[in-house]
Amino acid sequence: MALIGVFDSGVGGLSILDEGLRQLPEHDYIYLADSINAPYGEKSSQWIATRSLELCNYLADQGCEAIVVACNTATAEAIQRIRLELKDIPIIGVEPGIKPASMQSVKGIVGVLATEATLKSDKFNALLATLPSQCQFIKQSGAGLVPLIEAGQADGEQALELLAKHLEPIQDAGADTLVLGCTHYPFLRRAIRKLLGDSITLIDTSDAVVRQLKRQLELQDKLIANDRHGDVTFISSKDGVSLATMARELMHSDLNLHDIYARALD
Ligand code: DGL
């Protein structure tokens, strides 16, 4: 059994925690949301890197034995520095699933919805350069979506309107596959389906990320299967109790099976 840290700018990483609790419910988790500073996607690379490193150091100080950087933006801007500084802890990152998308797209036309910072990052563009040139990627920043999701309005009219605007170029290009390149966006699934219908394939990497976490825990001999349901502590730079309330609303996992704690970042 291990204590696992999951970090995001806000509630987006709850989509990863949800999958973590589904595949690895016996472990203890700290979910850390930097809600006071969300969204990260429109901040400078330097700021994102420094803050992400600071918060991962905090999780390491809390005793986390593995850390999931459950944020595409923080992964793109900071994962190398985090891995360099926290050498003894496995650090698992999240990247837009453009590779699986290129393999699944029948037409070879893929939409990528991610933050401005992720789309501009060297890490994302280096990954893009490794993919076959016959696949066309329509990159679109989801500016303005994260604050609406943070405000609990993922299914609201405003989110639907903004999303319709962002998805237009992807739709016009005839994409048959859409990469959800920000961990907040799985919470827009209903709205996306409303706008694009059921035939478009949505790519979300949370399952792959948790499988990677599982492999890392196995390497450390910390993968001991039992019937336990671990504790989940929600920590927010804004308000831990509201974060836990949002988690109950957004996640599919039954949090009543776990002991839940909530507090503000000290
Ligand atoms: N959830 C994050 C991501 O995966 C960041 C969103 C933001 O804060 O802009 O990119």
Side-chain angles (χ1 to χ4, degrees):
M1 191 203 84
L3 175 62
I4 299 159
V6 180
F7 149 68
D8 181 45
S9 62
V11 297
L14 292 173
S15 57
I16 306 275
L17 176 67
D18 216 359
E19 189 58 32
L21 293 181
R22 199 180 70 76
Q23 292 189 38
L24 301 163
E26 63 277 19
H27 297 278
D28 294 326
Y29 290 83
I30 295 180
Y31 183 85
L32 174 58
D34 193 13
S35 309
I36 209 151
N37 290 306
Y40 275 14
E42 285 133 53
K43 293 191 158 59
S44 75
S45 304
Q46 184 57 38
W47 188 93
I48 298 165
T50 308
R51 181 67 175 164
S52 301
L53 180 61
E54 187 186 343
L55 293 180
C56 287
N57 269 318
Y58 173 86
L59 286 172
D61 289 345
Q62 301 297 303
C64 289
E65 296 155 274
I67 296 174
V68 183
V69 180
C71 175
N72 292 265
T73 311
T75 300
E77 303 290 13
I79 198 129
Q80 274 165 326
R81 274 180 65 183
I82 298 168
R83 284 191 176 131
L84 268 178
E85 190 147 327
L86 298 172
K87 283 200 182 65
D88 301 330
I89 303 175
I91 309 290
I92 296 100
V94 182
E95 275 183 319
I98 51 177
K99 194 173 172 193
S102 71
M103 293 188 300
Q104 286 187 43
S105 171
V106 176
K107 293 198 214 163
I109 308 172
V110 172
V112 186
L113 191 64
T115 68
E116 189 67 35
T118 298
L119 294 175
K120 280 203 308 218
S121 69
D122 293 344
K123 196 165 182 358
F124 173 77
N125 285 293
L127 178 65
L128 199 59
T130 64
L131 299 180
S133 56
Q134 62 266 32
C135 188
Q136 188 191 346
F137 291 95
I138 320 297
K139 295 174 278 173
Q140 176 64 47
S141 139
L145 291 171
V146 167
L148 291 172
I149 300 164
E150 289 290 317
Q153 293 168 19
D155 289 313
E157 217 29 62
Q158 217 183 327
L160 201 66
E161 266 170 39
L162 190 57
L163 198 51
K165 207 171 106 220
H166 289 327
L167 292 176
E168 207 176 282
I170 294 173
Q171 229 171 343
D172 289 351
D176 62 358
T177 307
L178 175 65
V179 175
L180 305 178
C182 166
T183 52
H184 280 75
Y185 300 163
F187 298 122
L188 293 169
R189 258 173 202 281
R190 266 189 302 267
I192 294 172
R193 287 278 175 227
K194 221 183 231 179
L195 293 164
L196 300 183
D198 289 332
S199 58
I200 192 150
T201 304
L202 301 182
I203 306 282
D204 148 24
T205 54
S206 43
D207 170 54
V209 170
V210 174
R211 278 189 282 116
Q212 175 62 9
L213 168 65
K214 205 168 174 176
R215 275 192 291 274
Q216 291 293 336
L217 294 176
E218 202 164 17
L219 287 174
Q220 292 188 322
D221 248 355
K222 286 181 178 145
L223 209 60
I224 301 150
N226 58 33
D227 293 338
R228 178 177 186 271
H229 284 87
D231 301 345
V232 184
T233 304
F234 291 100
I235 305 179
S236 168
S237 57
K238 205 178 194 176
D239 175 0
V241 176
S242 308
L243 173 64
T245 306
M246 284 281 281
R248 288 189 190 277
E249 282 165 19
L250 290 170
M251 291 168 66
H252 300 290
S253 305
D254 184 359
L255 290 177
N256 293 327
L257 296 171
H258 301 263
D259 282 336
I260 302 296
Y261 304 90
R263 61 182 161 88
L265 182 67
D266 41 52

